[in-house]
Amino acid sequence: MSAVKKTALTVLSAALLPALFAAPAHAAPGDDRPGAKKHPKPPSAMSTVGGTQLGSPGVQVKLGAGAPVLPKELSGRSWIVADAQTGDVLAANNAHWRLPPASTMKMLFADTVLPRLPKTQVRKVKDSDLVGMGEGSSLVGIKEDQSYTVHDLWLGVFLRSGNDAVHVLSAMNDGVPKTVRDMQKHAEELQALDTNVVSPDGYDAKNQVSSAYDLTLIARSGMQKKDFREYASTASAQFPGEKKKGKKRGSFGIQNTNRLLTGDAGIEPYKGIAGVKNGSTTHAGTTFTGVAQRGERVLLVTVMNPSANESHAVYKESARLLDWGFAAAGKVTPVGELVAPKSAKTGSTKGAPPAGQDSASHKSPTELAATDGGSSGVGIALAISGGALVLLAGGVFLINRRWPLPSLGRRRR
């Protein structure tokens, strides 16, 4: 081979090798290569609520000295990792992409309706209460002409993602149409402006959308409420069975479908997890919003519609993002923030808690430990990470964005 040919091959190899090693191991979303799996592309411009950078498509992160790189195994169309207390968004990917939310929409339903109905109120279910549920809906097993407390129904919503429980509670809130209007109004109050509510249970419906950013806002609001925290962190419970004449009414066990809370084949319960909601439909794929605590740090994560073929991808990717967030906290520059509700008070003030926040958040850690049991009598075990008692001291809505969460923990079974 001549010296000229050798030189040409050397130059060609030097040009090609970096490109070959830089090529992705799998087809990326929007990849136009022959044989690549086609995925919809995010809008070129999205909402800028929470910061202009959150309105840009693609991954948004600002790594500082010593910060770990983001996990490679992330396929969600949209995701976000945020500090639940300060509101800082640590990293995001297409945070404002409006996508079908599946049953994570039930977080907005609960945050809207839960404060309106006393836990001890009883409803004898009518046939009309269960009209309009989508085919193949997830159910907890509610029967017509049977009576259930509001507490029972919320267990059905949070643990089994029961659309039947959602519809009965909606009937108690003067019907599904009114409940949808109430949810939309509450979303606007939270500044969850990517969210359009069509059905209260999250069932696939035309134009029913939310975003990773909005779902994280909604979860943050919900976790201000003691009852919301209790239901979101409940791993298992007993649900009333069908009462038959002449026999004592029995019950049956239900388990939370949040696999980072309860575990499943190939999935271990996530250390410090305390909720909140998972979802899955044909159109939405799988979705998940979770909250977890390690030490004094509390993080929120939302993942929407991962395309990876691995089983339980939405949980595995959420766990990877939480791991990254706990390791990266304090070492990254926030790329945005979780905004406060419109009516939230700012500044260091005393008195009533901000909108959506229960008065328990103003108690001391000792008071919270003594009183945060809930009216069910079961209470929340504040055991996180193998039994260590961890409590968050509450506070007012501080200047700009700080919104401390009240006591947080996963209830023991």
Side-chain angles (χ1 to χ4, degrees):
M1 185 179 292
S2 68
V4 174
K5 288 183 178 180
K6 285 182 179 180
T7 302
L9 285 173
T10 301
V11 172
L12 183 62
S13 298
L16 287 177
L17 283 175
L20 288 172
F21 283 104
H26 60 277
D31 197 333
D32 294 325
R33 293 176 300 152
K37 186 177 180 181
K38 299 296 183 180
H39 296 284
K41 295 181 179 179
S44 58
M46 293 170 277
S47 168
T48 57
V49 172
T52 55
Q53 196 166 350
L54 296 179
S56 300
V59 174
Q60 308 298 321
V61 65
K62 296 179 181 178
L63 300 177
V69 297
L70 283 163
K72 293 181 180 179
E73 301 87 356
L74 297 176
S75 66
R77 290 184 184 176
S78 176
W79 53 258
I80 191 170
V81 187
D83 188 305
Q85 296 174 279
T86 65
D88 289 337
V89 177
L90 307 184
N93 177 48
N94 304 320
H96 282 291
W97 192 356
R98 304 181 78 195
L99 297 167
S103 286
T104 48
M105 182 66 82
K106 290 183 174 76
M107 294 189 298
L108 178 60
F109 171 72
D111 198 38
T112 303
V113 177
L114 193 152
R116 303 180 180 196
L117 303 173
K119 294 172 75 171
T120 55
Q121 186 175 340
V122 176
R123 175 76 170 190
K124 186 174 182 180
V125 177
K126 306 173 183 178
D127 292 349
S128 58
D129 293 350
L130 302 176
V131 170
M133 288 189 296
E135 184 179 354
S137 286
S138 55
L139 306 172
V140 69
I142 290 172
K143 304 294 183 182
E144 296 88 344
D145 298 323
Q146 301 291 308
S147 296
Y148 302 87
T149 65
V150 166
H151 175 67
D152 295 330
L153 296 170
W154 283 120
L155 287 172
V157 171
F158 277 86
L159 274 67
R160 296 301 304 168
S161 203
N163 289 5
D164 47 358
V166 170
H167 278 253
V168 174
L169 287 164
S170 296
M172 298 176 73
N173 189 55
D174 296 329
V176 167
K178 179 182 180 296
T179 300
V180 167
R181 292 193 299 271
D182 291 344
M183 290 170 64
Q184 190 66 57
K185 183 177 180 181
H186 187 52
E188 293 167 3
E189 156 63 19
L190 295 178
Q191 301 198 61
L193 305 182
D194 299 323
T195 299
N196 187 62
V197 186
V198 178
S199 67
D201 51 25
Y203 192 85
D204 285 340
K206 185 178 180 180
N207 297 326
Q208 177 145 277
V209 291
S210 190
S211 66
Y213 182 87
D214 280 13
L215 293 174
T216 307
L217 273 187
I218 293 163
R220 191 186 188 208
S221 174
M223 292 301 287
Q224 304 295 315
K225 301 173 176 64
K226 183 181 71 172
D227 286 345
F228 189 106
R229 296 193 302 275
E230 176 185 345
Y231 294 125
S233 62
T234 299
S236 60
Q238 290 293 308
F239 194 82
E242 186 174 359
K243 182 175 176 58
K244 297 181 179 179
K245 188 175 182 180
K247 294 184 179 181
K248 183 179 179 180
R249 189 176 188 180
S251 63
F252 56 91
I254 57 175
Q255 180 169 293
N256 202 312
T257 56
N258 174 358
R259 299 310 180 202
L260 289 189
L261 183 69
T262 61
D264 194 12
I267 299 287
E268 292 293 325
Y270 190 81
K271 181 181 178 181
I273 195 73
V276 286
K277 193 71 188 75
N278 55 301
S280 177
T281 64
T282 301
H283 192 45
T286 53
T287 58
F288 178 71
T289 297
V291 62
Q293 177 173 353
R294 288 188 186 174
E296 296 297 316
R297 184 83 59 184
V298 184
L299 296 182
L300 282 161
V301 63
T302 295
V303 174
M304 301 186 76
N305 198 350
S307 59
N309 292 324
E310 65 178 339
S311 62
H312 302 306
V314 75
Y315 297 115
K316 292 178 180 178
E317 294 187 17
S318 295
R320 289 168 191 145
L321 285 169
L322 285 170
D323 285 343
W324 176 85
F326 285 120
K331 302 173 183 177
V332 297
T333 300
V335 295
E337 67 177 16
L338 300 177
V339 295
K342 290 180 180 179
S343 63
K345 298 177 181 178
T346 58
S348 179
T349 59
K350 296 182 179 180
Q357 183 172 332
D358 62 57
S359 59
S361 61
H362 289 274
K363 298 178 182 179
S364 70
T366 303
E367 290 174 316
L368 282 168
T371 62
D372 201 28
S375 59
S376 69
V378 180
I380 302 175
L382 297 172
I384 300 181
S385 309
L389 286 178
V390 181
L391 284 166
L392 296 177
V396 297
F397 194 116
L398 301 185
I399 294 174
N400 293 328
R401 64 185 186 276
R402 186 173 176 82
W403 192 2
L405 285 171
S407 61
L408 182 64
R410 185 174 61 138
R411 181 199 279 191
R412 292 191 180 98
R413 298 184 189 182

